Amino acid sequence: MCLAVPGEIIKIYPDGYQADVNIMGNVKRVSIFLTPEAKVGDRVMVHAGQAISVIEREEAEAIEKLWEELLRHGND
Amino acid sequence: MATTKEQEYFSRLVEQLQRMTQRPVKIMEVCGTHTMAIAAAGIRQILPPEVELVSGPGCPVCVTADMDIDAFLDLATREDVTIATYGDMLRVPGTEGSLADIRAQGGRVQVVYSATEALQLARENPDREVVFLAVGFETTAPATAHALTVAQAEKINNFSIFNLHKMVPPALRALLADEETAVDGFILPGHVSAIIGEEPYRFVAEEFGRPGVIAGFEPVEIMAALVQLVTLLNRREARITNLYRHVVRPEGNRTALALLERVFQPANAIWRGLGEIPDSGLKLREELFPYDAEVKFGVTRKPVAKRTACRCGDVLKGLIKPPACPLFARKCTPEQPQGPCMVSAEGTCAAYYHYHRRDSDG
C-alpha cells in the first residue's frame, strides 16, 4: 500500500499541480500538489497518483559512501 | 532491477552481517511493502540464524478491524451508494462476504488507483453517492486530504470518505508497551517517513531504548538497514538512523503535513490484533463532517464475533509467522482468503504463501 515508484518529471501542466512523469518508460499524469518545489527533470517518488518526495540527487549519489561506512563500522 | 554494483554491495553487506552478529536479535520490518520486498528477494533465507525478522502492523488493509469491514460492506449494499476502493480491499472478507461478492450480486463497487480518481467518479455520476474507502497510513492520507479540499472547493456534495486512515508511530508505541512483543529494533517504513520525517520515531529510542532505521526498498537498502541495526545493537546504542536520505528529509514533507493538519485531527482507532490505540487514527475536522460517510449515512459499528481460527492479528504483532496459523495454505489461500493478511498483496501471509511456503520456520 505504501509502494512508491521513482520517475522523472517531463512536463508540468499550466495549473502547476499536475505533471507528466516518466516511470520506467511509461508516462503517467500525476499530482505534484505535495511537492510544489518539483521541476522538469527532477526525479520524484510517486505513490497513489501523487508525487510524495523529490529525490535529492546528491543524497542518491552519496548512498554508496553510506554503505562503505556501514561495511567499515561493523569491523570495530 | 538492481545494478551490478548494488548486487555487489548486497553480497558484501550479507557477509558483514554474518561476521558481526554476536547474539540472537529480533528485528521487525514495520511496513508491508518491506515485507513484500524481503520475501521477493529471499532475504529471510540468507540471514544468519541469530537474526530473526518479523513482520509488523504496516499493512493498512490487514490492520482494518472486522467491525470496520462489516460497516463498509453494509454501506456497499445501499441502493444509492457507489463504493470507490483501492483494489486491495475488494476481497477482504467480512461477516457476510466481501466487496467482490457484493459487486457480483449487482452492487456498485469501483476500483480506483487514487483519491482523485474517486472524486472524478463523483463528478461524473452526480446522481450517485460515491463513497471512497480511505485506507492507508501517512503516505496515503495526504492524497485523501487533497481530494477532500478539492471536493469542498468545488462543492461536490455526492462525495464522501469512509475513513480508515491510521498513523504508524502510535502503533509502534502500542507494540513497544506490550511486553509480549519482544522486538530489539525496527526497520522503519520509508514512504511513511517521506511524509512524517524522523522526529516522530524518537520515542522508540529515547523512551524504549530500541534503535530504528528508516530504509528504502531495494534488497541492498534493506540489508544495509539490518547491518546498521545490528551495529547499533552490538554497541547498545539506541537511536534513529535515516538510510533513505534521498527520499526522506529529516523534517518530512511539510506541504503534506500541513494539509493533514488542516483536514484531519488525531483520534483513537481500532487495529486488528492491537485493539484500540490512542490517537492513532485521523478523524476529519468538524467542518469536513459533511464528507464523512459515517456521519452522512449514520453508520453504526457492531462488535463482531471471531469467525474463524485466522491468526492475522498475531501475525501483525510479530508474535507468530504465517505457517503457525492452522488455516495457512490449507483453508486460507490467496484464492480463498480467510483473513486480510492473505488478501492484501503486501499482507505477510500472502508474502509467505507466494515466496516461501516450503519453509517450516513458523
Side-chain angles (χ1 to χ4, degrees), chain B residues 12 60 84 126-127 156-157 166-167 198 207 279 331 333 337:
Chain B
R12 286 173 68 196
D127 53 330
I156 303 175
N157 297 326
K166 292 179 178 64
M167 293 189 279
E198 299 170 10
E207 287 177 47
D279 289 341
K331 207 177 163 202
T333 62

Side-chain angles (χ1 to χ4, degrees), chain A residues 1-4 24 31 33-36 45 47-56 59-60 63-64 66-68 70-76, chain B residues 5 9 12-13 16 20 33 60 86 113-114 135 139-140 142-143 146 191 220-221 224 227-228 235 243-247 249 253 255-256 259 346:
Chain A
M1 187 103 210
C2 287
L3 194 66
M24 290 183 289
S31 158
F33 185 83
L34 300 176
T35 54
M45 294 303 291
H47 163 79
Q50 294 264 350
I52 57 165
S53 175
V54 177
I55 298 171
E56 269 187 24
E59 291 287 2
I63 198 158
E64 285 179 12
L66 217 68
W67 296 335
E68 286 292 347
L70 282 173
L71 287 165
R72 270 198 309 274
H73 273 170
N75 294 330
D76 286 357
Chain B
K5 228 168 174 187
Y9 274 110
R12 286 173 68 196
L13 287 162
Q16 174 78 319
M20 69 193 292
T33 309
Y86 293 119
Y113 295 97
S114 66
V135 65
T139 324
T140 317
H146 180 48
H191 296 140
V220 62
E221 293 178 295
V227 168
Q228 172 69 359
R235 293 182 189 154
L243 293 187
Y244 199 29
R245 288 178 214 167
H246 51 296
V247 172
R249 318 276 173 270
N253 180 328
T255 309
L259 185 61
E346 58 176 25

Side-chain angles (χ1 to χ4, degrees), chain B residues 79-286:
Chain B
E79 197 61 29
D80 54 340
V81 164
T82 295
I83 296 282
T85 178
Y86 293 119
D88 257 19
M89 276 299 213
L90 213 51
R91 294 174 64 227
V92 174
T95 303
E96 286 169 52
S98 64
L99 287 174
D101 296 329
I102 290 172
R103 189 170 65 176
Q105 289 152 20
R108 302 280 284 269
V109 178
Q110 184 98 26
V111 171
V112 293
Y113 295 97
S114 66
T116 311
E117 231 181 274
L119 185 61
Q120 185 56 25
L121 201 62
R123 270 195 207 99
E124 288 165 4
N125 298 277
D127 53 330
R128 304 281 305 165
E129 281 291 340
V130 173
V131 179
F132 174 55
L133 296 187
V135 65
F137 297 125
E138 292 93 328
T139 324
T140 317
T144 304
H146 180 48
L148 285 168
T149 56
V150 174
Q152 203 181 19
E154 291 182 25
K155 298 194 170 51
I156 303 175
N157 297 326
N158 63 324
F159 178 74
S160 60
I161 68 162
F162 187 84
N163 188 357
L164 296 163
H165 284 310
K166 292 179 178 64
M167 293 189 279
V168 168
L172 291 181
R173 180 178 284 282
L175 270 174
L176 283 162
D178 184 345
E179 282 171 10
E180 242 185 335
T181 329
V183 173
D184 297 302
F186 295 93
I187 298 179
L188 296 168
H191 296 140
V192 164
S193 306
I195 303 297
I196 69 174
E198 299 170 10
E199 175 67 27
Y201 302 115
R202 258 173 69 174
F203 74 92
V204 173
E206 288 176 5
E207 287 177 47
F208 294 93
R210 311 291 214 289
V213 176
I214 297 169
F217 298 86
E218 292 299 326
V220 62
E221 293 178 295
I222 293 166
M223 200 48 73
L226 287 169
V227 168
Q228 172 69 359
L229 280 166
V230 173
T231 303
L232 292 172
L233 287 167
N234 282 350
R235 293 182 189 154
R236 302 191 186 283
E237 197 181 325
R239 62 184 166 90
I240 305 302
T241 317
N242 180 1
L243 293 187
Y244 199 29
R245 288 178 214 167
H246 51 296
V247 172
V248 177
R249 318 276 173 270
E251 72 281 8
N253 180 328
R254 288 210 170 110
T255 309
L257 288 172
L259 185 61
L260 288 179
E261 174 78 30
R262 198 164 96 216
V263 170
F264 295 109
Q265 52 186 323
N268 295 0
I270 298 173
W271 297 56
R272 177 184 304 275
L274 298 165
E276 183 164 353
I277 303 177
D279 289 341
S280 66
L282 286 165
K283 191 181 159 187
L284 286 179
R285 292 201 178 272
E286 224 172 294

Side-chain angles (χ1 to χ4, degrees), chain B residues 3-75:
Chain B
T3 62
T4 319
K5 228 168 174 187
E6 281 178 4
Q7 283 169 6
E8 230 177 85
Y9 274 110
F10 179 81
S11 308
R12 286 173 68 196
L13 287 162
V14 172
E15 282 165 29
Q16 174 78 319
L17 191 68
Q18 274 154 355
R19 267 200 306 273
M20 69 193 292
T21 306
Q22 300 161 352
R23 61 186 168 93
V25 291
K26 192 169 173 180
I27 288 165
M28 176 178 277
E29 93 270 1
V30 175
C31 168
T33 309
H34 274 140
T35 300
M36 277 317 279
I38 287 164
I43 284 177
R44 268 195 185 84
Q45 292 89 322
I46 52 170
L47 291 178
E50 295 89 355
V51 179
E52 190 190 352
L53 206 48
V54 295
S55 304
C59 158
V61 171
C62 306
V63 297
T64 302
D66 281 329
M67 63 168 78
D68 287 333
I69 295 170
D70 280 358
F72 71 64
L73 287 172
D74 212 31
L75 261 181

